[in-house]
Amino acid sequence: MYLVDTIDYQKICCIIKTFEDNILFQKNYHSTWFLKSIANIQKEKYNYGLEVAFVGYSNSGKSSIINALTNQKKLAKISRTPGRTRLINIFSVTSEIRLVDFPGYGYAQVSRSISKKWKEMIFQYLNIQKCLQGLVIITDIRCPIKEIDELVINLAVSLNIPILLLLNKMDKVTRSIQKSKLFSTREKMLNFSNNINVELFSSFKKIGIHKLQFVLNNWFSSDKKLCQ
Ligand SMILES: Nc1nc2c(ncn2[C@@H]2O[C@H](COP(=O)(O)OP(=O)(O)OP(=O)(O)O)[C@@H](O)[C@H]2O)c(=O)[nH]1
Ligand SMILES: [Mg+2]
């Protein structure tokens, strides 16, 4: 009897804590501010606090998702022209917590050497960034998962970096396509790991924001050690 009570008490405390974290961070995401743009991850590596990176193919909607999450229209620059984000843009949620918006990988109109540099930057970043708590990979729901996405997923899995894969622009397809794409992508991700979270998202319709916040809150949870 006593044991059952203890377990219930622990469960309740855990639920309250998750709830508090969500309330706390929901406010904080909205007051996120631009910290700086950097061109070279090696030189400017942050070695304090916690961060989450947003990566994906050019034009998949990385910057729009950061704007939707923070409920700000112009925090991250968005553009119809792929390849708009050319530097790594870092945003601060608090003095210890950062969101990192990467240039999109793989776009034909950006010269091959620049595109190659951006890819290398992401691989380098994943390998060296000790503050990284998780990786949000963004794809356009209408496009197949690209080989470069798979390479990034493989590397993140091998480094034990948690992944959230967002199928963005869900507003562009019918409900049945949304469902089947979600199902098939979840199936596909099992080939990499059984721990990859896949969700639908639309920054236009503001769908999926709460799930995104929930995952980020977990990654940023106060139990995690700040890197120093
Ligand atoms: N329909 C629809 N369009 C979207 C959505 N999210 C982003 N877009 C559009 O997609 C285009 C690219 O958005 P960005 O946020 O700049 O994409 P990005 O991945 O940051 O692009 P790069 O920085 O160039 O790699 C813009 O025209 C956005 O308005 C969405 O949920 N639905
Ligand atoms: Mg961008």
Side-chain angles (χ1 to χ4, degrees):
M1 182 63 188
Y2 174 74
L3 186 65
V4 170
D5 283 352
T6 313
I7 290 168
D8 283 352
Y9 177 74
Q10 280 173 348
K11 256 191 197 164
I12 289 165
C13 285
C14 189
I15 290 167
I16 291 173
K17 190 175 169 308
T18 310
F19 184 69
E20 278 176 354
D21 282 352
N22 270 294
I23 301 269
L24 176 75
F25 279 109
Q26 198 152 342
K27 278 194 207 120
N28 285 346
Y29 290 120
H30 289 189
S31 48
T32 299
W33 69 95
F34 172 73
L35 183 64
K36 72 193 301 197
S37 296
I38 59 173
N40 186 333
I41 203 77
Q42 189 90 46
K43 272 197 209 147
E44 305 260 3
K45 157 169 97 132
Y46 281 85
N47 54 6
Y48 67 89
L50 305 171
E51 63 191 44
V52 160
F54 292 71
V55 302
Y57 210 73
S58 302
N59 211 238
S60 55
K62 301 170 289 298
S63 304
S64 303
I65 287 178
I66 290 181
N67 286 345
L69 169 73
T70 56
N71 199 27
Q72 298 184 45
K73 286 201 173 94
K74 293 183 180 165
L75 182 66
K77 288 197 182 70
I78 63 161
S79 170
R80 263 187 218 169
T81 318
R84 170 74 205 207
T85 310
R86 290 177 170 237
L87 294 168
I88 300 168
N89 292 310
I90 305 179
F91 304 95
S92 289
V93 181
T94 69
S95 57
E96 299 283 4
I97 289 179
R98 297 177 296 278
L99 308 175
V100 184
D101 184 14
F102 268 85
Y105 37 67
Y107 178 64
Q109 263 168 287
V110 172
S111 82
R112 272 219 183 135
S113 62
I114 292 181
S115 179
K116 190 167 166 256
K117 188 180 139 207
W118 290 348
K119 275 182 215 163
E120 283 169 4
M121 214 155 60
I122 291 173
F123 289 122
Q124 199 181 32
Y125 172 80
L126 293 181
N127 274 308
I128 65 172
Q129 188 48 285
K130 297 277 176 287
C131 303
L132 184 66
Q133 301 301 305
L135 193 63
V136 184
I137 302 177
I138 292 125
T139 64
D140 183 326
I141 193 165
R142 298 166 297 178
C143 308
I145 304 282
K146 308 257 189 328
E147 199 186 328
I148 172 76
D149 292 313
E150 296 188 354
L151 290 174
V152 171
I153 292 167
N154 261 327
L155 179 60
V157 168
S158 71
L159 294 168
N160 273 328
I161 299 167
I163 298 172
L164 170 64
L165 178 64
L166 294 179
L167 304 174
N168 189 35
K169 308 195 187 182
M170 64 177 282
D171 54 283
K172 286 278 192 186
V173 298
T174 61
R175 274 200 183 179
S176 65
I177 294 179
Q178 290 168 7
K179 260 193 181 171
S180 67
K181 198 67 203 246
L182 181 63
F183 183 77
S184 62
T185 311
R186 281 181 173 160
E187 283 277 304
K188 192 178 169 102
M189 286 306 114
L190 291 175
N191 296 327
F192 298 90
S193 154
N194 55 8
N195 218 6
I196 298 178
N197 200 347
V198 184
E199 300 293 346
L200 296 167
F201 201 93
S202 166
S203 24
F204 269 24
K205 301 260 169 171
K206 300 209 179 284
I207 301 170
I209 295 177
H210 284 108
K211 270 193 188 152
L212 171 61
Q213 282 178 347
F214 186 81
V215 172
L216 296 188
N217 291 352
N218 192 18
W219 289 348
F220 288 138
S221 80
S222 47
D223 300 341
K224 297 264 164 64
K225 243 189 164 178
L226 298 179
C227 78
Q228 289 167 359

PDB file of all heavy atoms in Angstrom, residues 82-109:
ATOM      1  N   PRO A  82      14.918  29.640 -52.378  1.00  0.00           N
ATOM      2  CA  PRO A  82      15.725  28.727 -51.551  1.00  0.00           C
ATOM      3  C   PRO A  82      17.145  29.250 -51.403  1.00  0.00           C
ATOM      4  O   PRO A  82      17.654  29.953 -52.282  1.00  0.00           O
ATOM      5  CB  PRO A  82      15.719  27.419 -52.342  1.00  0.00           C
ATOM      6  CG  PRO A  82      14.588  27.538 -53.284  1.00  0.00           C
ATOM      7  CD  PRO A  82      14.407  28.989 -53.569  1.00  0.00           C
ATOM      8  N   GLY A  83      17.777  28.927 -50.296  1.00  0.00           N
ATOM      9  CA  GLY A  83      19.157  29.338 -50.068  1.00  0.00           C
ATOM     10  C   GLY A  83      19.241  30.698 -49.397  1.00  0.00           C
ATOM     11  O   GLY A  83      20.284  31.330 -49.357  1.00  0.00           O
ATOM     12  N   ARG A  84      18.142  31.157 -48.860  1.00  0.00           N
ATOM     13  CA  ARG A  84      18.097  32.487 -48.245  1.00  0.00           C
ATOM     14  C   ARG A  84      18.977  32.562 -46.980  1.00  0.00           C
ATOM     15  O   ARG A  84      19.704  33.526 -46.774  1.00  0.00           O
ATOM     16  CB  ARG A  84      16.638  32.817 -47.904  1.00  0.00           C
ATOM     17  CG  ARG A  84      16.433  34.013 -47.064  1.00  0.00           C
ATOM     18  CD  ARG A  84      16.644  35.261 -47.866  1.00  0.00           C
ATOM     19  NE  ARG A  84      17.025  36.374 -47.008  1.00  0.00           N
ATOM     20  CZ  ARG A  84      16.801  37.632 -47.286  1.00  0.00           C
ATOM     21  NH1 ARG A  84      16.221  37.952 -48.418  1.00  0.00           N
ATOM     22  NH2 ARG A  84      17.164  38.573 -46.463  1.00  0.00           N
ATOM     23  N   THR A  85      18.864  31.533 -46.136  1.00  0.00           N
ATOM     24  CA  THR A  85      19.669  31.545 -44.918  1.00  0.00           C
ATOM     25  C   THR A  85      21.077  31.092 -45.291  1.00  0.00           C
ATOM     26  O   THR A  85      21.285  29.951 -45.686  1.00  0.00           O
ATOM     27  CB  THR A  85      19.049  30.603 -43.853  1.00  0.00           C
ATOM     28  OG1 THR A  85      17.664  30.908 -43.733  1.00  0.00           O
ATOM     29  CG2 THR A  85      19.727  30.735 -42.512  1.00  0.00           C
ATOM     30  N   ARG A  86      22.030  32.043 -45.204  1.00  0.00           N
ATOM     31  CA  ARG A  86      23.374  31.717 -45.671  1.00  0.00           C
ATOM     32  C   ARG A  86      24.387  31.610 -44.541  1.00  0.00           C
ATOM     33  O   ARG A  86      25.515  31.181 -44.736  1.00  0.00           O
ATOM     34  CB  ARG A  86      23.836  32.749 -46.699  1.00  0.00           C
ATOM     35  CG  ARG A  86      23.049  32.586 -47.971  1.00  0.00           C
ATOM     36  CD  ARG A  86      23.333  33.572 -49.032  1.00  0.00           C
ATOM     37  NE  ARG A  86      22.659  33.101 -50.245  1.00  0.00           N
ATOM     38  CZ  ARG A  86      23.265  32.867 -51.383  1.00  0.00           C
ATOM     39  NH1 ARG A  86      24.553  33.054 -51.495  1.00  0.00           N
ATOM     40  NH2 ARG A  86      22.577  32.442 -52.417  1.00  0.00           N
ATOM     41  N   LEU A  87      23.980  32.050 -43.382  1.00  0.00           N
ATOM     42  CA  LEU A  87      24.854  31.936 -42.214  1.00  0.00           C
ATOM     43  C   LEU A  87      24.120  31.106 -41.175  1.00  0.00           C
ATOM     44  O   LEU A  87      22.908  30.874 -41.313  1.00  0.00           O
ATOM     45  CB  LEU A  87      25.133  33.323 -41.639  1.00  0.00           C
ATOM     46  CG  LEU A  87      25.948  34.265 -42.519  1.00  0.00           C
ATOM     47  CD1 LEU A  87      25.907  35.674 -41.958  1.00  0.00           C
ATOM     48  CD2 LEU A  87      27.387  33.784 -42.669  1.00  0.00           C
ATOM     49  N   ILE A  88      24.812  30.687 -40.143  1.00  0.00           N
ATOM     50  CA  ILE A  88      24.131  30.013 -39.033  1.00  0.00           C
ATOM     51  C   ILE A  88      23.588  31.121 -38.141  1.00  0.00           C
ATOM     52  O   ILE A  88      24.355  31.962 -37.656  1.00  0.00           O
ATOM     53  CB  ILE A  88      25.125  29.143 -38.250  1.00  0.00           C
ATOM     54  CG1 ILE A  88      25.745  28.082 -39.171  1.00  0.00           C
ATOM     55  CG2 ILE A  88      24.442  28.481 -37.060  1.00  0.00           C
ATOM     56  CD1 ILE A  88      26.930  27.373 -38.559  1.00  0.00           C
ATOM     57  N   ASN A  89      22.281  31.162 -37.959  1.00  0.00           N
ATOM     58  CA  ASN A  89      21.681  32.195 -37.115  1.00  0.00           C
ATOM     59  C   ASN A  89      21.333  31.595 -35.759  1.00  0.00           C
ATOM     60  O   ASN A  89      20.672  30.561 -35.685  1.00  0.00           O
ATOM     61  CB  ASN A  89      20.428  32.761 -37.779  1.00  0.00           C
ATOM     62  CG  ASN A  89      20.803  33.551 -39.024  1.00  0.00           C
ATOM     63  OD1 ASN A  89      21.681  34.395 -38.973  1.00  0.00           O
ATOM     64  ND2 ASN A  89      20.166  33.242 -40.147  1.00  0.00           N
ATOM     65  N   ILE A  90      21.773  32.279 -34.734  1.00  0.00           N
ATOM     66  CA  ILE A  90      21.555  31.764 -33.378  1.00  0.00           C
ATOM     67  C   ILE A  90      20.589  32.677 -32.638  1.00  0.00           C
ATOM     68  O   ILE A  90      20.725  33.912 -32.677  1.00  0.00           O
ATOM     69  CB  ILE A  90      22.892  31.672 -32.621  1.00  0.00           C
ATOM     70  CG1 ILE A  90      23.862  30.816 -33.444  1.00  0.00           C
ATOM     71  CG2 ILE A  90      22.698  31.071 -31.233  1.00  0.00           C
ATOM     72  CD1 ILE A  90      25.227  30.648 -32.829  1.00  0.00           C
ATOM     73  N   PHE A  91      19.593  32.063 -32.011  1.00  0.00           N
ATOM     74  CA  PHE A  91      18.585  32.803 -31.266  1.00  0.00           C
ATOM     75  C   PHE A  91      18.626  32.335 -29.811  1.00  0.00           C
ATOM     76  O   PHE A  91      18.827  31.148 -29.544  1.00  0.00           O
ATOM     77  CB  PHE A  91      17.192  32.541 -31.850  1.00  0.00           C
ATOM     78  CG  PHE A  91      17.120  32.871 -33.312  1.00  0.00           C
ATOM     79  CD1 PHE A  91      17.298  31.877 -34.277  1.00  0.00           C
ATOM     80  CD2 PHE A  91      16.912  34.171 -33.748  1.00  0.00           C
ATOM     81  CE1 PHE A  91      17.270  32.172 -35.633  1.00  0.00           C
ATOM     82  CE2 PHE A  91      16.875  34.485 -35.100  1.00  0.00           C
ATOM     83  CZ  PHE A  91      17.050  33.479 -36.044  1.00  0.00           C
ATOM     84  N   SER A  92      18.397  33.292 -28.910  1.00  0.00           N
ATOM     85  CA  SER A  92      18.408  32.942 -27.489  1.00  0.00           C
ATOM     86  C   SER A  92      16.994  32.885 -26.941  1.00  0.00           C
ATOM     87  O   SER A  92      16.231  33.838 -27.110  1.00  0.00           O
ATOM     88  CB  SER A  92      19.179  33.995 -26.699  1.00  0.00           C
ATOM     89  OG  SER A  92      20.530  33.895 -26.993  1.00  0.00           O
ATOM     90  N   VAL A  93      16.663  31.769 -26.311  1.00  0.00           N
ATOM     91  CA  VAL A  93      15.362  31.645 -25.631  1.00  0.00           C
ATOM     92  C   VAL A  93      15.523  32.209 -24.213  1.00  0.00           C
ATOM     93  O   VAL A  93      14.664  32.922 -23.708  1.00  0.00           O
ATOM     94  CB  VAL A  93      14.915  30.173 -25.573  1.00  0.00           C
ATOM     95  CG1 VAL A  93      13.563  30.030 -24.890  1.00  0.00           C
ATOM     96  CG2 VAL A  93      14.869  29.570 -26.969  1.00  0.00           C
ATOM     97  N   THR A  94      16.648  31.866 -23.595  1.00  0.00           N
ATOM     98  CA  THR A  94      17.060  32.470 -22.322  1.00  0.00           C
ATOM     99  C   THR A  94      18.580  32.649 -22.462  1.00  0.00           C
ATOM    100  O   THR A  94      19.154  32.258 -23.494  1.00  0.00           O
ATOM    101  CB  THR A  94      16.784  31.535 -21.119  1.00  0.00           C
ATOM    102  OG1 THR A  94      17.671  30.414 -21.216  1.00  0.00           O
ATOM    103  CG2 THR A  94      15.352  31.046 -21.077  1.00  0.00           C
ATOM    104  N   SER A  95      19.197  33.150 -21.416  1.00  0.00           N
ATOM    105  CA  SER A  95      20.649  33.339 -21.539  1.00  0.00           C
ATOM    106  C   SER A  95      21.388  32.006 -21.678  1.00  0.00           C
ATOM    107  O   SER A  95      22.513  31.953 -22.150  1.00  0.00           O
ATOM    108  CB  SER A  95      21.174  34.120 -20.340  1.00  0.00           C
ATOM    109  OG  SER A  95      20.823  33.411 -19.173  1.00  0.00           O
ATOM    110  N   GLU A  96      20.719  30.897 -21.311  1.00  0.00           N
ATOM    111  CA  GLU A  96      21.382  29.588 -21.356  1.00  0.00           C
ATOM    112  C   GLU A  96      20.853  28.688 -22.473  1.00  0.00           C
ATOM    113  O   GLU A  96      21.381  27.603 -22.683  1.00  0.00           O
ATOM    114  CB  GLU A  96      21.156  28.835 -20.026  1.00  0.00           C
ATOM    115  CG  GLU A  96      21.702  29.517 -18.797  1.00  0.00           C
ATOM    116  CD  GLU A  96      23.212  29.351 -18.674  1.00  0.00           C
ATOM    117  OE1 GLU A  96      23.827  28.776 -19.576  1.00  0.00           O
ATOM    118  OE2 GLU A  96      23.756  29.817 -17.660  1.00  0.00           O
ATOM    119  N   ILE A  97      19.767  29.108 -23.133  1.00  0.00           N
ATOM    120  CA  ILE A  97      19.117  28.210 -24.091  1.00  0.00           C
ATOM    121  C   ILE A  97      19.047  28.851 -25.484  1.00  0.00           C
ATOM    122  O   ILE A  97      18.593  29.983 -25.629  1.00  0.00           O
ATOM    123  CB  ILE A  97      17.715  27.841 -23.568  1.00  0.00           C
ATOM    124  CG1 ILE A  97      17.868  26.916 -22.372  1.00  0.00           C
ATOM    125  CG2 ILE A  97      16.849  27.215 -24.644  1.00  0.00           C
ATOM    126  CD1 ILE A  97      16.577  26.487 -21.755  1.00  0.00           C
ATOM    127  N   ARG A  98      19.511  28.094 -26.485  1.00  0.00           N
ATOM    128  CA  ARG A  98      19.591  28.660 -27.836  1.00  0.00           C
ATOM    129  C   ARG A  98      18.909  27.773 -28.885  1.00  0.00           C
ATOM    130  O   ARG A  98      18.866  26.544 -28.748  1.00  0.00           O
ATOM    131  CB  ARG A  98      21.067  28.824 -28.237  1.00  0.00           C
ATOM    132  CG  ARG A  98      21.835  29.787 -27.382  1.00  0.00           C
ATOM    133  CD  ARG A  98      23.300  29.850 -27.780  1.00  0.00           C
ATOM    134  NE  ARG A  98      23.997  28.581 -27.578  1.00  0.00           N
ATOM    135  CZ  ARG A  98      24.491  28.190 -26.398  1.00  0.00           C
ATOM    136  NH1 ARG A  98      24.381  28.945 -25.320  1.00  0.00           N
ATOM    137  NH2 ARG A  98      25.090  27.017 -26.310  1.00  0.00           N
ATOM    138  N   LEU A  99      18.379  28.447 -29.923  1.00  0.00           N
ATOM    139  CA  LEU A  99      17.867  27.759 -31.112  1.00  0.00           C
ATOM    140  C   LEU A  99      18.815  28.127 -32.258  1.00  0.00           C
ATOM    141  O   LEU A  99      19.169  29.302 -32.397  1.00  0.00           O
ATOM    142  CB  LEU A  99      16.454  28.247 -31.454  1.00  0.00           C
ATOM    143  CG  LEU A  99      15.404  28.223 -30.340  1.00  0.00           C
ATOM    144  CD1 LEU A  99      14.110  28.859 -30.827  1.00  0.00           C
ATOM    145  CD2 LEU A  99      15.145  26.777 -29.885  1.00  0.00           C
ATOM    146  N   VAL A 100      19.198  27.140 -33.042  1.00  0.00           N
ATOM    147  CA  VAL A 100      20.186  27.398 -34.089  1.00  0.00           C
ATOM    148  C   VAL A 100      19.585  27.081 -35.460  1.00  0.00           C
ATOM    149  O   VAL A 100      19.187  25.942 -35.721  1.00  0.00           O
ATOM    150  CB  VAL A 100      21.461  26.539 -33.843  1.00  0.00           C
ATOM    151  CG1 VAL A 100      22.535  26.876 -34.858  1.00  0.00           C
ATOM    152  CG2 VAL A 100      21.989  26.757 -32.429  1.00  0.00           C
ATOM    153  N   ASP A 101      19.515  28.098 -36.306  1.00  0.00           N
ATOM    154  CA  ASP A 101      18.917  27.963 -37.642  1.00  0.00           C
ATOM    155  C   ASP A 101      20.037  27.827 -38.675  1.00  0.00           C
ATOM    156  O   ASP A 101      20.800  28.767 -38.897  1.00  0.00           O
ATOM    157  CB  ASP A 101      18.075  29.232 -37.906  1.00  0.00           C
ATOM    158  CG  ASP A 101      17.315  29.158 -39.230  1.00  0.00           C
ATOM    159  OD1 ASP A 101      17.214  28.052 -39.808  1.00  0.00           O
ATOM    160  OD2 ASP A 101      16.823  30.209 -39.679  1.00  0.00           O
ATOM    161  N   PHE A 102      20.112  26.656 -39.293  1.00  0.00           N
ATOM    162  CA  PHE A 102      21.189  26.394 -40.259  1.00  0.00           C
ATOM    163  C   PHE A 102      20.774  26.752 -41.684  1.00  0.00           C
ATOM    164  O   PHE A 102      19.584  26.682 -42.017  1.00  0.00           O
ATOM    165  CB  PHE A 102      21.553  24.904 -40.230  1.00  0.00           C
ATOM    166  CG  PHE A 102      22.654  24.602 -39.271  1.00  0.00           C
ATOM    167  CD1 PHE A 102      22.382  24.384 -37.935  1.00  0.00           C
ATOM    168  CD2 PHE A 102      23.970  24.567 -39.697  1.00  0.00           C
ATOM    169  CE1 PHE A 102      23.397  24.133 -37.037  1.00  0.00           C
ATOM    170  CE2 PHE A 102      24.997  24.316 -38.808  1.00  0.00           C
ATOM    171  CZ  PHE A 102      24.711  24.094 -37.483  1.00  0.00           C
ATOM    172  N   PRO A 103      21.741  27.071 -42.533  1.00  0.00           N
ATOM    173  CA  PRO A 103      21.416  27.189 -43.958  1.00  0.00           C
ATOM    174  C   PRO A 103      20.945  25.825 -44.467  1.00  0.00           C
ATOM    175  O   PRO A 103      21.406  24.793 -43.977  1.00  0.00           O
ATOM    176  CB  PRO A 103      22.751  27.556 -44.607  1.00  0.00           C
ATOM    177  CG  PRO A 103      23.648  27.984 -43.512  1.00  0.00           C
ATOM    178  CD  PRO A 103      23.168  27.299 -42.266  1.00  0.00           C
ATOM    179  N   GLY A 104      20.042  25.832 -45.420  1.00  0.00           N
ATOM    180  CA  GLY A 104      19.546  24.559 -45.962  1.00  0.00           C
ATOM    181  C   GLY A 104      20.630  23.840 -46.738  1.00  0.00           C
ATOM    182  O   GLY A 104      21.432  24.473 -47.406  1.00  0.00           O
ATOM    183  N   TYR A 105      20.649  22.522 -46.640  1.00  0.00           N
ATOM    184  CA  TYR A 105      21.635  21.801 -47.430  1.00  0.00           C
ATOM    185  C   TYR A 105      21.062  21.420 -48.792  1.00  0.00           C
ATOM    186  O   TYR A 105      19.873  21.162 -48.909  1.00  0.00           O
ATOM    187  CB  TYR A 105      22.209  20.590 -46.715  1.00  0.00           C
ATOM    188  CG  TYR A 105      21.277  19.772 -45.841  1.00  0.00           C
ATOM    189  CD1 TYR A 105      20.222  19.042 -46.390  1.00  0.00           C
ATOM    190  CD2 TYR A 105      21.478  19.705 -44.469  1.00  0.00           C
ATOM    191  CE1 TYR A 105      19.404  18.270 -45.598  1.00  0.00           C
ATOM    192  CE2 TYR A 105      20.657  18.931 -43.660  1.00  0.00           C
ATOM    193  CZ  TYR A 105      19.618  18.220 -44.240  1.00  0.00           C
ATOM    194  OH  TYR A 105      18.804  17.455 -43.457  1.00  0.00           O
ATOM    195  N   GLY A 106      21.925  21.415 -49.762  1.00  0.00           N
ATOM    196  CA  GLY A 106      21.557  20.905 -51.075  1.00  0.00           C
ATOM    197  C   GLY A 106      20.564  21.740 -51.858  1.00  0.00           C
ATOM    198  O   GLY A 106      19.392  21.418 -51.914  1.00  0.00           O
ATOM    199  N   TYR A 107      21.028  22.811 -52.436  1.00  0.00           N
ATOM    200  CA  TYR A 107      20.157  23.515 -53.369  1.00  0.00           C
ATOM    201  C   TYR A 107      20.947  23.909 -54.611  1.00  0.00           C
ATOM    202  O   TYR A 107      22.013  24.526 -54.505  1.00  0.00           O
ATOM    203  CB  TYR A 107      19.535  24.757 -52.724  1.00  0.00           C
ATOM    204  CG  TYR A 107      18.687  25.488 -53.714  1.00  0.00           C
ATOM    205  CD1 TYR A 107      17.550  24.881 -54.235  1.00  0.00           C
ATOM    206  CD2 TYR A 107      19.051  26.736 -54.195  1.00  0.00           C
ATOM    207  CE1 TYR A 107      16.787  25.508 -55.193  1.00  0.00           C
ATOM    208  CE2 TYR A 107      18.282  27.371 -55.148  1.00  0.00           C
ATOM    209  CZ  TYR A 107      17.159  26.754 -55.643  1.00  0.00           C
ATOM    210  OH  TYR A 107      16.413  27.372 -56.599  1.00  0.00           O
ATOM    211  N   ALA A 108      20.400  23.570 -55.776  1.00  0.00           N
ATOM    212  CA  ALA A 108      21.150  23.675 -57.015  1.00  0.00           C
ATOM    213  C   ALA A 108      21.622  25.098 -57.333  1.00  0.00           C
ATOM    214  O   ALA A 108      22.697  25.283 -57.898  1.00  0.00           O
ATOM    215  CB  ALA A 108      20.305  23.144 -58.155  1.00  0.00           C
ATOM    216  N   GLN A 109      20.818  26.113 -56.961  1.00  0.00           N
ATOM    217  CA  GLN A 109      21.193  27.457 -57.373  1.00  0.00           C
ATOM    218  C   GLN A 109      22.271  28.112 -56.506  1.00  0.00           C
ATOM    219  O   GLN A 109      22.749  29.174 -56.819  1.00  0.00           O
ATOM    220  CB  GLN A 109      19.958  28.352 -57.431  1.00  0.00           C
ATOM    221  CG  GLN A 109      19.441  28.433 -58.861  1.00  0.00           C
ATOM    222  CD  GLN A 109      18.079  29.054 -58.923  1.00  0.00           C
ATOM    223  OE1 GLN A 109      17.098  28.435 -58.537  1.00  0.00           O
ATOM    224  NE2 GLN A 109      18.023  30.272 -59.376  1.00  0.00           N
TER     225      GLN A 109
END
